Amino acid sequence: MTQKKKAVLLVFIGVIIIGVAVGSMMYFKPHRDIHSEDAVYSGYAHDFFSEFESDSAAFKASYEDQPVVITGEVTFMEQRSFELDGSINCYLDSTVVIPDSLQRGMKVTVKARYVGFKIDDLFGTTILDIDQARFQ
């Protein structure tokens, strides 16, 4: 084997080793723990939604992918999620189970991550989404 072929082979093997190392570091890095971070917003669901309606671009820049603590009235419930004040969908953290005592009309406080919003064209409403919710 010539010197040139050996050099190319060594460079190729080096690139593969570096690629595997970087890939495994990214794959096995620890997940972000929203619940150990300080919330960037703490307040009521209707105020959170009003802030969104007043300036959605600034709202997105401030709160997207950030932890928030929200208090509101449960208006709708499903198996793994519920709705606060008819405007915020709360998707529960995989470790949390909705307690049997939770009923429509109850006031609850959750800490979660704001992920975005959906516009319902049929009803003309906007719903904010938060995930990884845990009861406070």
Side-chain angles (χ1 to χ4, degrees), residues 80-84 88-92 110 128 130-131 133:
R80 299 286 315 143
S81 66
F82 56 93
E83 193 172 86
L84 292 178
I88 300 176
N89 280 340
C90 301
Y91 299 98
L92 292 174
V110 294
L128 304 181
I130 60 175
D131 70 359

Side-chain angles (χ1 to χ4, degrees), residues 52 89 91 114 116-121 125-129:
F52 168 79
N89 280 340
Y91 299 98
Y114 172 70
F117 66 95
K118 294 182 275 198
I119 298 174
D120 186 339
D121 292 330
T125 59
T126 302
I127 302 289
L128 304 181
D129 288 333

Side-chain angles (χ1 to χ4, degrees), residues 39 41-48 68-72 84 88 108-110:
Y41 176 87
S42 185
Y44 292 98
H46 55 82
D47 295 334
F48 193 63
V68 293
V69 175
I70 298 178
T71 301
L84 292 178
I88 300 176
V108 297
T109 300
V110 294

Side-chain angles (χ1 to χ4, degrees), residues 2-30:
T2 66
Q3 287 291 81
K4 186 175 181 180
K5 285 183 181 179
K6 284 182 183 179
V8 169
L9 182 62
L10 285 175
V11 168
F12 181 71
I13 291 172
V15 168
I16 288 176
I17 290 172
I18 290 171
V20 168
V22 169
S24 64
M25 284 174 36
M26 291 176 67
Y27 183 77
F28 292 110
K29 76 178 183 180

Side-chain angles (χ1 to χ4, degrees), residues 88-109:
I88 300 176
N89 280 340
C90 301
Y91 299 98
L92 292 174
D93 191 343
S94 61
T95 62
V96 176
V97 177
I98 291 182
D100 294 333
S101 61
L102 187 65
Q103 303 287 326
R104 285 186 185 168
M106 287 182 69
K107 191 169 262 196
V108 297
T109 300

